Amino acid sequence: MAVGTATDSVADRIRAILGSSGPRAISLTPWTASTLAVVALLLFPLMSIFVGVFGPPSETWQHLASTVLLDYVWHSLLLVVGIGSLTLVIGISTAWFVTTCEFPGRRLFEWGLILPLSIPTYIMAYTYAALFGHTGPIQTVLQVTLDPATTAGLRTGLMSLPGAGVILALALYPYVYLITRTSFMRQSGSILETSKILGKSSWHTFWRVALPMARPALIAGVTLVLMEVLNEYGAVRYFGVTTFTTGIFRAWFSLGDPAAAIRLSGCLLLFVFFLILLERVQRGRARFDGGTARHRPIVRFDLRGWWRWAAAIACGLPVVFGFILPVAQLLMWGIQVAPEAVNRQFLLLTLNSFVLALVAAIITVAAGLLIVYSVRLSPTTTLKLAARASSLGYSIPGAVIAVGILIPFIWVDRRLLAIFREASGASVGLILTGTVAALLFAYVVRFLAVALNPLDSGFERTCGNLDETSRSLGVPPLKTLLKVDVPLLRGTLLSAGLLVFVDILKELPLALILRPFNFNTLATRAFQLAMDEQVARSALPALLIIVTGMIPVILLSRLIGQHSEYGSDAHPSRMAEIHTTTTAQG
Amino acid sequence: MKSPEKISPPPLLSRIPFKFEVLPLLIALPMLATGCQEGPEEVVNVYSHRHYDADQLLFDRFSELTGIEVRVVTASADELITRLEREGDVSPADVLITVDAGRLHRAKELELLRPVRSPVLSEAIPDHLRDPEGYWFGLTQRARVLAYARDHVTPMELSTYEDLASPQWKGRVLVRSSENIYNLSLLASMIAVNGSNHAEGWAEGIVANLARPPQGNDTDQIMDVAAGVGDVALVNTYYVGRLLNDQDAAARDLASRVGVFFPNQDDRGTHVNVSGAGVTAHAPNPDNAVRLIEFLVGTEAQRVFAETIFEYPVRVDVPWATTLREWGEFRADTLNLRRLGELNTEAVMIFDRAGWR
């Protein structure tokens, strides 16, 4: 909420400044100042944690360094490389097939491939462990022909680092798929046709033309995946895989040494900085093609013979293993427990989750818009760095952010408490940490990066220099933003918001630590039942997260899909609209 | 180009009116308001690591009996302790409930709890299951036992925790990862009795005997024993009890292949921990907090713990659940549970050195 009010008051100030100095005066200061203020506010909780990093290494740190640190590095690295490659292979191949080829079930796969995004990774992990469990369907079927002792090994094999890698890849590949597909769709059909006319094979066209053009999108997608991987806690902990994140929890909560935990976070951050740098360097080389007028939609290529089925299977496997199989298992459990579990309390959970995620998503997108637009107004190094820094929250484990937020928020609460006591004598309780305010703020800190990426590239492609033209014609920046950019960016704003929405719906550690009394969300409920070793009973809240998460997923897909429907319509206003919607991701 | 002032919004804008985006904010306002603490009505605020449905039913029952509303936040004890620490004297929490005495001791050391004098509590709870100075009180007991495969192991072969590290169990032992508080507390109890060196040797021995790397939760260890992945596992009793009473017939069937053995009956006794509660140092409603804890160790609540969660009641006058009675009485380690908290950090380090991940 703090961010919302900050932006509001800043907007008021801007209006005041613009009003007083006339519409022609383009003052960059309020935008820069407000952006820096918002970013500083967002970074504050991170700062409050990182103060201790530069002290001398504690005993705990030396202990970790001499025993388990190497394991953490190695395991995290293996997961990053493994999951990165897997999600790229799945994401790119399916996106290519769906965008450029015609085969049975293509339209279904178009949106079906996004569905695994709606399943939280920890639920995926628990569900898969149960699917492979000794009383689970897979072993039961195999035991018809195989010895139970042989099939028992399956589960042990699944609950390992490679197992965790495959399951996380199944849950996360849609990030790559979504972004890559939008990028492929944006590529002009004529470019691909030219390549073919020049005698290059489809294979060659894919490798040498389409893929290099989609590179910034690929990097953006895989960066999101890898940040999620580095942050992963529930699934790897359950599988007994030690990573940086499990190490942070161990140092802080088991060994009671926040400083050592922070050092570990520092190592993790270095890793993330490297990833971000990689993305920047890549994007710097390969810029998006801004040409809008020459755009021609891709004509899909009819696959023949066994290729048709190969494409269908390639797209079908991730959907089956990433969505249908786990959801079927959850549904079976859900039907078992539904009679006693569906009640008023349950509806309340759903409402809580939905409203919380919606409000947080709107605030996050608003903050993202302010930051990206300010950088556009004055692309100074300071602002660019600030924008980069503001997405750090995405790479820091939720529990660490939560504790970081408590420090400044409780300080403010103390002051507010004192003020209210003096004014009215009544005790009002903790205004920030006792309400969802702290949680909302935490979500913005954590998920701003999710909104920044699409907003950034959305601006870059959609608005071109339209807004610059508008400003040079004397329209003040705020008016330009509201009258030119925002309408053009509707699709981008909507899809950025939806991505954040789904992420918040699934989010766990922040909600666990920061929620007020008697306030539960679907995620906290599902997780607690699973932690309590009552997996079947966690099915209903889990299913609701998935169903709720599916709504934006389907909306998103329809938005992107409109592109193909309007493909032949050359009316300029339509074209602008199509472009807005097709920039949904990127 | 036309004058920029006259740029009209594209059709998409009119299709999705702005009003819809304001709506959620309107919904959010009452939500924010409900999060605030209002009025002086009687409440007790609970930070709890326990998240059983039975607990919620007990809280509801308490409200019904006393008119005091129970408000709960559940998260892991470590996170709740950190939250209490950060909140300091403005913390709204009255009661901290954990699933391990070591965490309560840590909270006491951090001056997050206050001593309570209650004849009801000291009468109901045996001495070794509560803090001598009244900072915390055990609510239920849980024993960490050996779950063994009935078709591969006879109870005669089993004796102590220490024996599990001997070479005859090579490739046969199952256990969950070392971040788990039950493992940490067990090791802490062994450090207290046998000393650090011996405890480290034991941890190394267990690692050498593992049938597979540590993974999953206690239920998974039991199921793996039943399915023949290993022969013996370290688990808490109530998970076995719950599986034996599971709705799923296949799970019940598997669980019936597993026997429960109480180790160290000829020396210090089986390692026992408590799930317990303490009143926070800055509790705004300390009287209500004490009433709640007294209610939780009352006969009615203790019976619910025993029969629905299969934990051992702390009260001696409350009958055990049928499943627990079938396993029989056992000698429990009477080590003061405070030691588990004191030796926790050392236990973590020993696990790390031994490679028990």
Side-chain angles (χ1 to χ4, degrees):
Chain A
M1 212 64 239
V3 170
T5 46
T7 358
D8 288 347
S9 64
V10 163
D12 289 336
R13 267 175 47 209
I14 293 165
R15 261 183 227 110
I17 291 165
L18 291 177
S20 63
S21 56
R24 280 214 149 258
I26 299 169
S27 165
L28 300 178
T29 341
W31 287 93
T32 310
S34 57
T35 300
L36 289 177
V38 167
V39 172
L41 198 63
L42 294 177
L43 284 180
F44 206 75
L46 307 184
M47 290 302 186
S48 68
I49 298 172
F50 279 84
V51 200
V53 181
F54 300 104
S58 64
E59 204 184 306
T60 316
W61 174 257
Q62 279 161 356
H63 159 78
L64 290 174
S66 66
T67 53
V68 286
L69 189 62
L70 210 63
D71 279 349
Y72 295 165
V73 176
W74 181 234
H75 293 162
S76 294
L77 206 66
L78 279 178
L79 282 176
V80 160
V81 172
I83 296 171
S85 329
L86 260 179
T87 50
L88 277 178
V89 169
I90 302 175
I92 296 172
S93 59
T94 52
W96 180 253
F97 280 135
V98 162
T99 319
T100 67
C101 305
E102 197 59 71
F103 57 92
R106 189 195 63 80
R107 291 184 65 91
L108 214 62
F109 289 130
E110 239 176 28
W111 59 272
L113 278 161
I114 318 175
L115 291 177
L117 201 59
S118 60
I119 308 184
T121 49
Y122 54 93
I123 289 176
M124 192 87 116
Y126 274 96
T127 311
Y128 258 97
L131 274 169
F132 279 80
H134 304 309
T135 57
I138 292 172
Q139 285 206 37
T140 312
V141 168
L142 289 176
Q143 275 165 9
V144 174
T145 51
L146 291 170
D147 176 37
T150 318
T151 60
L154 269 179
R155 186 165 196 282
T156 315
L158 175 86
M159 293 185 70
S160 58
L161 192 140
V166 171
I167 287 171
L168 288 176
L170 282 172
L172 298 174
Y173 82 85
Y175 283 113
V176 178
Y177 164 78
L178 257 175
I179 299 179
T180 312
R181 178 172 162 237
T182 321
S183 166
F184 282 153
M185 285 171 69
R186 240 187 7 254
Q187 292 176 7
S188 174
S190 50
I191 295 179
L192 301 184
E193 272 162 39
T194 311
S195 163
K196 283 183 192 166
I197 288 164
L198 288 169
K200 302 295 177 193
S201 67
S202 319
W203 198 237
H204 192 95
T205 306
F206 169 72
W207 279 111
R208 304 304 291 271
V209 182
L211 210 53
M213 274 168 67
R215 209 156 79 172
L218 293 181
I219 300 281
V222 88
T223 309
L224 279 179
V225 169
L226 296 187
M227 287 203 192
E228 293 274 358
V229 171
L230 288 174
N231 227 313
E232 179 55 47
Y233 179 63
V236 286
R237 193 186 90 146
Y238 182 48
F239 280 18
V241 180
T242 51
T243 63
F244 264 118
T245 318
T246 63
I248 289 167
F249 276 77
R250 191 183 188 81
W252 192 320
F253 297 123
S254 287
L255 288 165
D257 187 345
I262 287 156
R263 255 164 204 277
L264 277 174
S265 304
C267 297
L268 191 62
L269 272 187
L270 273 181
F271 214 93
V272 174
F273 267 128
F274 176 74
L275 287 179
I276 291 173
L277 201 72
L278 197 75
E279 194 228 4
R280 286 287 114 176
V281 169
Q282 290 283 349
R283 199 179 271 199
R285 267 189 229 145
R287 298 199 74 80
F288 286 101
D289 177 19
T292 54
R294 284 166 283 109
H295 183 85
R296 225 174 77 209
I298 291 167
V299 179
R300 270 189 288 275
F301 179 76
D302 250 322
L303 287 176
R304 267 185 291 272
W306 66 275
W307 269 108
R308 289 162 56 85
W309 301 106
I313 289 169
C315 293
L317 286 178
V319 184
V320 169
F321 288 107
F323 189 78
I324 295 175
L325 202 59
V327 169
Q329 169 72 77
L330 286 169
L331 271 175
M332 270 167 58
W333 283 332
I335 291 165
Q336 250 175 47
V337 299
E340 47 180 309
V342 178
N343 49 30
R344 211 183 127 265
Q345 191 205 350
F346 201 68
L347 294 175
L348 195 69
L349 274 185
T350 316
L351 190 73
N352 274 352
S353 300
F354 208 86
V355 174
L356 189 70
L358 207 58
V359 175
I362 290 168
I363 299 172
T364 308
V365 171
L369 194 62
L370 171 75
I371 293 170
V372 174
Y373 189 62
S374 298
V375 175
R376 262 177 94 74
L377 285 177
S378 54
T380 57
T381 320
T382 322
L383 267 188
K384 280 180 182 167
L385 272 178
R388 277 296 103 191
S390 68
S391 52
L392 280 179
Y394 196 58
S395 54
I396 296 174
V400 176
I401 293 185
V403 176
I405 278 175
L406 280 174
I407 303 167
F409 268 51
I410 284 167
W411 185 86
V412 175
D413 267 340
R414 263 177 221 279
R415 298 293 168 282
L416 287 176
L417 212 59
I419 292 168
F420 275 107
R421 252 184 214 146
E422 236 166 73
S424 62
S427 179
V428 288
L430 302 178
I431 292 165
L432 298 179
T433 51
T435 65
V436 291
L439 191 52
L440 284 173
F441 180 76
Y443 282 145
V444 181
V445 173
R446 178 87 172 78
F447 292 118
L448 187 63
V450 179
L452 276 183
N453 257 337
L455 283 176
D456 190 20
S457 45
F459 259 111
E460 210 170 303
R461 274 191 321 272
T462 315
C463 304
N465 39 26
L466 264 180
D467 53 349
E468 209 181 309
T469 314
S470 158
R471 285 192 304 274
S472 69
L473 288 171
V475 183
L478 184 66
K479 204 168 176 188
T480 302
L481 177 68
L482 294 178
K483 295 275 174 186
V484 179
D485 293 306
V486 168
L488 279 173
L489 282 170
R490 281 204 77 84
T492 305
L493 289 174
L494 196 60
S495 51
L498 288 174
L499 273 185
V500 177
F501 178 88
V502 177
D503 259 332
I504 291 174
L505 214 57
K506 299 189 289 181
E507 203 283 334
L508 197 62
L510 289 176
L512 272 180
I513 303 178
L514 291 176
R515 77 212 142 105
F517 285 108
N518 288 357
F519 184 92
N520 287 296
T521 66
L522 291 170
T524 61
R525 185 78 187 135
F527 180 72
Q528 284 180 348
L529 286 169
M531 281 309 282
D532 198 19
E533 313 193 3
Q534 308 183 54
V535 192
R537 299 201 47 221
S538 75
L540 276 187
L543 279 170
L544 258 175
I545 296 176
I546 295 168
V547 170
T548 324
M550 272 169 69
I551 298 167
V553 162
I554 290 168
L555 267 176
L556 195 68
S557 166
R558 287 190 57 166
L559 262 176
I560 302 171
Q562 279 173 6
H563 165 79
S564 42
E565 256 90 284
Y566 295 141
S568 56
D569 188 345
H571 190 273
S573 74
R574 265 285 158 79
M575 287 308 292
E577 181 187 325
I578 291 156
H579 258 273
T580 319
T581 51
T582 50
T583 52
Q585 299 294 314
Chain B
M1 193 168 190
K2 282 190 283 184
S3 163
E5 269 88 356
K6 285 181 186 161
I7 289 177
S8 58
L12 196 67
L13 181 63
S14 49
R15 233 186 281 157
I16 309 167
F18 259 108
K19 281 172 218 150
F20 282 120
E21 293 175 0
V22 186
L23 208 62
L25 280 169
L26 292 177
I27 304 171
L29 285 175
M31 188 172 77
L32 274 169
T34 53
C36 296
Q37 296 153 5
E38 308 144 353
E41 87 270 23
E42 288 288 295
V43 295
V44 56
N45 295 322
V46 180
Y47 279 0
S48 177
H49 186 142
R50 291 172 60 98
H51 27 67
Y52 305 104
D53 285 348
D55 286 31
Q56 190 53 52
L57 292 178
L58 285 174
F59 292 151
D60 292 346
R61 178 83 181 119
F62 175 74
S63 301
E64 201 181 298
L65 288 173
T66 60
I68 300 170
E69 190 198 346
V70 184
R71 301 198 290 205
V72 192
V73 170
T74 53
S76 91
D78 288 322
E79 289 158 0
L80 292 172
I81 287 174
T82 313
R83 180 164 169 176
L84 274 175
E85 230 184 318
R86 301 292 177 203
E87 287 169 344
D89 60 354
V90 292
S91 174
D94 297 304
V95 179
L96 173 69
I97 298 179
T98 74
V99 291
D100 150 75
R103 289 293 174 273
L104 286 168
H105 178 74
R106 179 183 283 183
K108 176 190 170 187
E109 293 284 280
L110 292 166
E111 297 177 359
L112 299 174
L113 300 180
R114 68 166 75 180
V116 168
R117 228 177 261 277
S118 156
V120 178
L121 292 177
S122 31
E123 233 167 77
I125 310 168
D127 286 350
H128 72 283
L129 299 179
R130 58 186 160 86
D131 182 68
E133 295 160 277
Y135 279 90
W136 52 262
F137 303 88
L139 299 175
T140 63
Q141 299 184 74
R142 36 250 326 255
R144 197 137 183 90
V145 296
L146 306 182
Y148 62 92
R150 286 183 196 276
D151 52 351
H152 287 122
V153 181
T154 59
M156 298 291 288
E157 297 170 66
L158 298 162
S159 57
T160 59
Y161 297 111
E162 285 80 355
D163 178 59
L164 273 194
S166 66
Q168 57 159 322
W169 296 105
K170 193 153 192 66
R172 303 169 71 186
V173 178
L174 295 169
V175 75
R176 70 195 289 182
S177 61
S178 64
E179 49 76 40
N180 176 253
I181 188 64
Y182 307 136
N183 283 341
L184 286 169
S185 286
L186 173 62
L187 186 63
S189 79
M190 298 184 79
I191 299 171
V193 183
N194 300 327
S196 313
N197 288 338
H198 186 280
E200 187 158 346
W202 177 78
E204 282 165 0
I206 294 289
V207 172
N209 284 349
L210 288 178
R212 52 139 171 78
Q215 56 175 228
N217 51 34
D218 275 12
T219 307
D220 293 327
Q221 314 307 317
I222 299 164
M223 293 301 248
D224 273 356
V225 167
V229 176
D231 287 339
V232 58
L234 279 168
V235 298
N236 280 5
T237 38
Y238 51 96
Y239 292 111
V240 187
R242 200 193 286 168
L243 272 177
L244 284 170
N245 295 277
D246 202 280
Q247 286 183 337
D248 180 8
R252 283 202 304 272
D253 179 48
L254 269 184
S256 68
R257 298 184 205 169
V258 176
V260 166
F261 182 85
F262 292 90
N264 297 71
Q265 291 303 292
D266 297 331
D267 48 51
R268 65 181 184 274
T270 299
H271 169 65
V272 168
N273 204 336
V274 294
S275 176
V279 180
T280 60
H282 304 287
N285 312 293
D287 297 338
N288 293 350
V290 174
R291 284 181 74 180
L292 178 66
I293 298 175
E294 285 175 353
F295 169 77
L296 292 176
V297 295
T299 321
E300 183 186 355
Q302 289 285 303
R303 195 164 284 173
V304 171
F305 286 139
E307 275 160 21
T308 59
I309 316 177
F310 304 104
E311 296 178 274
Y312 290 99
V314 286
R315 281 186 91 97
V316 284
D317 56 352
V318 169
W320 293 1
T322 319
T323 307
L324 302 187
R325 277 205 300 275
E326 281 167 6
W327 291 332
E329 304 240 339
F330 63 95
R331 177 206 289 256
D333 188 353
T334 50
L335 175 77
N336 195 305
L337 298 175
R338 191 190 50 162
R339 294 288 288 151
L340 305 181
E342 289 166 356
L343 294 167
N344 177 75
T345 305
E346 198 176 345
V348 177
M349 293 191 167
I350 286 177
F351 275 139
D352 280 344
R353 283 198 293 271
W356 182 330
R357 73 182 193 210

